[in-house]
Each structure stands twice: as C-alpha cells, then as structure tokens.
C-alpha cells in the first residue's frame, strides 16, 4: 500500500486543542531543564543550526510545539540533531538547548512515557 | 503673583501643581471634572515594575496638594480655554481665560492641560464577548479584583485557567486606533504574576502580537513571569470568544510561532484594554487646534519642546499627549512645570 501513489496525499489535519493537551511531559521537561521556560522565540538557535541548513529540522518550532503540548511525531523530528551545541552557544536567554534536546528524546522515547501514547 | 491653571487632577496635574506651587509668588488653580482626584490610579492595586501599592502612591500624591497656593476645584469641568490678549501685550505673556460647565470664568497667565486618557471601551470589540459573557473581563476589572484580593470565575468558583489578550483597542484598524497603548504589555505580565501569586494553581496564558518591554526592569519581569511564575506566552491574536455550556470562554487563535490554529477554553478572558484620549482631552485639543488624528495633543517638537503647543502659554503633559505610564506622566509633568516657570519668569 505504501508504494501506491495516487498523485495526491492526504495530510493529517493538525490544530492545537489546549483542552485535550496533556501537560505532564511538558512539566517533566521543565523540571529537568528549567531554562526551557525562558525562550522568547527569537530563532537564533535555528539560524545557527547545521541540521537546519540541510533538512526540515527546526528546533525553535519543536520547542514551541512541545511548549504547546503537541508531541506528535516529535521524536522523529528531533532525529537530524547532531548535538553539536551551537544553539546553546547563541541563545540570548541562556536556554540549555542541548540538554533540552537530550531530555526531549529521553522523555518521548521512554517506554514508561507519562502520557502512555 | 502668577496664576497657572492646570486642567485635570491626575498624576500629571498634581505633580505639576506641586512643583509650580513650590515657587514663589505663584498660585495654581487645579481643575478636576470628577468629585475625586486620581480616578484612574484609584482603580489600581499594584504598580509596575516594583509591585508597589497604588494606594500608597495615591496617598503621597494627595499630600502634595496640601498647600495654600494650590486651589483645587473638584467637580469642575473646563469646557473652554481661550487666550484673551496677544503675546505682544503684557510683556510677551498671554492672558488666558477658562470657563467651566456652569459658566464660571477663571483667569490665568499660563494653562497646563493634563486631561489624560480614558480606557478603551471593550464592548466595541463585540467578537471578544465583553458585556455578553460574564467570563470576559477587562484588565481594569481584573485590577479591581486584585485590589479586593478575590478572583472568581463566571460561576463563582476559583478559576483554573486565565487567558490574557493583548492589544484590545490598540494597534487595531477596526477600532480606529493604529497606535500602541504602550503600558498593556507590561501590565499583563504584572497581572499574570499577581494572579499566579494569589492562585498558585491557576494556569495563566498571555496572547500577544509583540511583547514590548520598553521600560527599565520590564524585560526582567517578563523573564521572571516565564521562569518563576510559569506564565505561558503565545504569539497570536484571539479572533473570537464564545461561551461554553459550563460558563467557560472558548477562544480561537493561531499559535503563529508554530503555524497552527489553536482552540482553548478558559475560566476568565482578560482583555488588555488600551488608552484613548479622554473626552476632556478631545474637547480641549480640538478647541486649541492641537489635536492629532485620534484627539491626543500634539506638541511643537517631540524632542526638545514636547510640552509646548503652538500657542504661547498653553502647555500639555501626561497621557493627553499619547499613551503613557504613570512614571512617564510624572516625569513629563515636572518637565512641563519647568517650561512654564521659564516662560513666566
């Protein structure tokens, strides 16, 4: 089935519904990486990111999605990161992005993941 | 003896009156349309950026009026300000005549207009449901609740989720106000912190287009709101609010940083209402030919002569010029007082 192409694709409709959002993973991440909360979405992290230059990987957007408790497919979206840490160096608000990415991966791939997704 | 008429007994009017009255051979006539001074300030609980009590500032400002040469005229709306002599007479000083609503006339050597602002009427943004749903309140309503020390939702319970919406009546062509009201950004940050202090379980969200943390200590407050008080900031304007069956407010917006539409229900929606010129400001600026497109007062030069109007002896200060914080109004009033003292020397 996967190889069948009909000339169009159906994208998954995505909108944020904060009433069904689960804040447990977010709270867990904020406890592990308190500087997570300080982000002001300037985008310096994505601008300097090597992975961003060649792939769709966008750490600023991943941060925003996680903050809005939208975790769908984030573990895959995080894959291009090589953990070079340039994002952490440039962040004007001192967000420890490298640690944030590591902890996001850990929380999202935990077999005992708190939201049991 | 020199007489200076000041119209409007808010922070700017009182500050200018106290500075001028400290000078020799000076009498200040201070006019206030309502029965009390400092009406807008009396609604406030705490002031940014230091969370000091607004009631303390009211007390200090009231004490400044306690001078024999300040004549406070309460419940006196000045409806007309005209110069009765040309500048060449009386040694370059123009004579001014003011008239109140009941027809009483007052003479002065200089006039300072400090008629201030009024709060944007949130009913005008019908899509946001103010006056329709009890869960929708304004920042002024919330400030009064903070002052009372009690915040309840529409059905009388402790709220779990409070949403703040910036730029209601500001930066909005539909309201006819293209300008930024300047103080709402930091006010929302201040109020969100206050709410979280009072109700630690409450979730606070601030929907904004830009966060303009222009003053000293403001950015630090914003950072503290995020880090210490867990206030969540979402970039996006709320397009509409509706009621749910259980008395909550359902809002629609977009998280523009993620690029996805967003839905959320909240116990309270707080509209951060902007500033508009007060009726007194509009009347006097139009009468004195110094009104801008909105009715705020314009000055001769925004850099160096920002209290002077085109007419010698007629000065303006505070939020009748443009949206201004209390501290900026006080500073502006002192600068106007200095200008008037130089003019009358």
């Amino acid at each position: 089935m996967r190889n069948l192409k009909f000339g169009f694709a159906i994208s998954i409709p995505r909108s944020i519904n904060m009433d069904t959002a689960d804040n447990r993973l977010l709270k867990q991440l904020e406890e592990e990486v308190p500087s997570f909360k300080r982000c002001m979405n300037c985008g310096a992290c994505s601008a300097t990111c090597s992975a961003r230059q060649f792939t769709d990987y966008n750490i600023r957007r991943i941060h925003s999605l996680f903050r809005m408790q939208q975790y769908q497919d984030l573990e895959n979206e995080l894959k291009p990161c090589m953990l070079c840490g340039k994002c952490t160096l440039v962040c004007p608000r001192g967000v420890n992005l490298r640690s944030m990415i590591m902890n996001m991966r850990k929380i999202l791939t935990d077999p005992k993941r708190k939201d049991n997704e | 003896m020199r007489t200076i008429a000041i119209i409007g007994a808010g922070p700017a009017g009182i500050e200018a009156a106290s500075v001028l009255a400290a000078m020799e051979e000076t009498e200040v006539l201070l006019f206030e349309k309502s029965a009390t001074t400092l009406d807008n300030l009396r609604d406030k609980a705490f002031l940014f950026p230091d969370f000091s009590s607004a009631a303390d500032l009211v007390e200090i400002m009231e004490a400044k009026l306690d001078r024999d040469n300040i004549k406070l005229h309460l419940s006196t709306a000045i409806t007309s300000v005209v110069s009765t002599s040309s500048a060449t007479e009386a040694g370059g000083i123009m004579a001014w005549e003011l008239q109140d609503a009941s027809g009483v006339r007052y003479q002065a050597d200089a006039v300072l207009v400090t008629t201030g602002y009024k709060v944007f009427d949130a009913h005008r943004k019908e899509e946001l449901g103010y006056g329709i749903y009890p869960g929708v309140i304004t920042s002024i309503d919330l400030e009064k609740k903070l002052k009372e020390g009690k915040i309840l939702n529409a059905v009388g319970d402790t709220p779990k989720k409070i949403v703040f919406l910036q730029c209601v009546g500001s930066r909005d062509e539909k309201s006819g106000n293209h300008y930024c009201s300047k103080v709402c950004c930091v006010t929302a940050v201040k109020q969100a912190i206050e709410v979280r202090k009072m109700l630690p379980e409450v979730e606070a969200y601030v929907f904004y287009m830009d966060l303009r943390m222009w003053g000293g200590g403001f950015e630090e407050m914003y950072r503290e709101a995020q880090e210490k008080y867990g206030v969540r900031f979402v970039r996006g304007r709320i397009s509409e609010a509706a009621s749910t069956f259980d008395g909550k407010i359902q809002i629609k917006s977009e998280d523009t940083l993620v690029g996805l539409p967003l839905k959320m229900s909240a116990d309270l929606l707080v509209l951060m209402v902007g500033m508009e010129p007060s009726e007194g400001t509009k009347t006097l600026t139009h009468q004195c030919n110094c009104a801008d497109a909105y009715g705020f007062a314009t000055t001769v030069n925004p850099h160096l002569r920002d209290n002077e109007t085109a007419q010698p002896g007629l000065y303006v200060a505070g939020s009748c010029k443009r949206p201004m914080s209390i501290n900026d109004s006080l500073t502006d009033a002192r600068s106007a007082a200095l200008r008037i003292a130089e003019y009358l020397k």
Side-chain angles (χ1 to χ4, degrees), chain B residues 133-163:
Chain B
Y133 313 122
V136 183
I137 62 173
T138 66
S139 44
I140 306 300
D141 300 332
L142 180 66
E143 198 68 33
K144 288 177 187 163
K145 288 174 194 278
L146 285 165
K147 205 174 172 185
E148 288 164 17
K150 199 159 139 193
I151 302 172
L152 297 173
N153 67 9
V155 290
D157 294 329
T158 305
K160 293 189 184 71
K161 214 181 259 183
I162 298 185
V163 169

Side-chain angles (χ1 to χ4, degrees), chain B residues 62-84:
Chain B
E62 278 176 334
K64 289 186 182 221
L65 290 174
D66 196 15
R67 300 183 81 105
D68 290 339
N69 57 346
I70 300 180
K71 304 273 185 297
L72 177 62
H73 297 263
L74 292 171
S75 307
T76 308
I78 297 298
T79 52
S80 148
V81 175
V82 286
S83 56
T84 51

Side-chain angles (χ1 to χ4, degrees), chain B residues 205-261:
Chain B
Y205 289 85
V206 178
F207 283 73
Y208 67 93
M209 298 196 286
D210 300 288
L211 280 172
R212 301 183 162 180
M213 296 295 143
W214 49 273
F218 292 5
E219 184 68 22
E220 287 81 353
M221 269 175 79
Y222 166 34
R223 196 171 149 137
E224 191 174 59
Q226 285 180 302
E227 195 165 23
K228 188 169 165 196
Y229 296 98
V231 179
R232 300 202 188 282
F233 292 85
V234 186
R235 197 182 77 181
R237 195 174 176 113
I238 294 172
S239 63
E240 59 203 85
S243 182
T244 63
F245 67 92
D246 54 354
K248 285 187 179 168
I249 302 299
Q250 173 91 34
I251 56 152
K252 270 192 197 174
S253 181
E254 167 158 307
D255 185 334
T256 58
L257 292 166
V258 175
L260 289 174

Side-chain angles (χ1 to χ4, degrees), chain A residues 29 33 57 59 78 81 83 87 96-106:
Chain A
L29 183 66
V33 192
Y57 177 70
I59 189 56
L78 278 164
C81 173
L83 292 170
C87 47
N96 190 344
L97 282 119
R98 199 163 175 272
S99 163
M100 178 192 91
I101 296 163
M102 286 291 287
N103 277 284
M104 277 183 178
R105 283 179 176 171
K106 205 169 87 187

Side-chain angles (χ1 to χ4, degrees), chain A residues 14-19 23 26 30 37-41 60-61 64-65 67-69 93, chain B residues 161 203 205 219 222-223 226-227 230 232-234 250 255 257-258 260-265:
Chain A
R14 242 173 111 175
S15 64
I16 300 173
N17 185 346
M18 294 299 286
D19 294 337
N23 66 10
L26 174 61
E30 284 177 342
K37 295 183 193 171
R38 290 207 293 260
C39 171
M40 54 179 182
N41 273 287
R60 183 202 54 79
R61 189 165 184 273
S64 293
L65 284 165
R67 190 196 55 176
M68 299 311 281
Q69 302 142 52
R93 278 290 187 94
Chain B
K161 214 181 259 183
E203 278 183 76
Y205 289 85
E219 184 68 22
Y222 166 34
R223 196 171 149 137
Q226 285 180 302
E227 195 165 23
R232 300 202 188 282
F233 292 85
V234 186
Q250 173 91 34
D255 185 334
L257 292 166
V258 175
L260 289 174
L262 181 152
K263 270 197 312 193
M264 183 188 226
S265 58

